[in-house]
Amino acid sequence: MKDEAAHPTVDGHREAVAPRRMGQLDRAEALRLLGSISLGRIVFTQAALPAIRPVNHFMDGEDIIVQLHDGATLTSIVTPAHAAGVVVAYEADVIDPETHVGWSVVVTGYAHRVTDEGQLARFAARLRPWVQHPAMNSALRIRPDLVTGLRLTV
């Protein structure tokens, strides 16, 4: 069985798999990679249970910005802008489905609601949402406290 795991089959034929290595990313590289894409997953608590939602993001310095819209689940978890915030995790990755190489980054930090009209206008120009919503009336700013990342290479 060990041999089969090391050499998966494709259409009944064994396929050679190059050994992969996993390396840690430093904070700067992890955040740079996170800024190179616009799709990730936010992890939060809903009704005392873990919940995950895919969202679009962009980086504002080291902070992750996510658009909120009325009726969204995320809107209900975010505290007012002046409050301490709520702890969330944010994960994004790019892993090739054929070679299984790429990278993954996880950020843990406090999320705060942004309602300042000037900031929201600047954010609206940079976000690329999947679905068009009415004008952006709030956003979520995640300030990274813990940043971890790994790179999978051949």
Side-chain angles (χ1 to χ4, degrees), residues 41-134:
R41 292 156 216 81
I42 188 166
V43 181
F44 57 98
T45 303
Q46 181 180 26
L49 296 172
I52 301 172
R53 295 289 183 276
V55 293
N56 292 91
H57 75 271
F58 78 90
M59 301 297 290
D60 186 35
E62 287 196 346
D63 295 349
I64 302 161
I65 306 298
V66 175
Q67 180 177 355
L68 297 176
H69 58 86
D70 293 335
T73 302
L74 289 176
T75 304
S76 66
I77 67 147
V78 180
T79 59
H82 63 279
V86 62
V87 174
V88 299
Y90 194 82
E91 189 274 341
D93 54 58
V94 173
I95 298 177
D96 184 278
E98 295 294 323
T99 64
H100 298 176
V101 298
W103 57 267
S104 177
V105 171
V106 177
V107 170
T108 305
Y110 285 95
H112 301 271
R113 182 187 301 263
V114 177
T115 57
D116 177 79
E117 290 182 21
Q119 286 186 19
L120 291 174
R122 185 169 59 90
F123 296 168
R126 295 188 58 194
L127 279 167
R128 295 178 292 163
W130 308 341
V131 177
Q132 293 297 63
H133 295 284

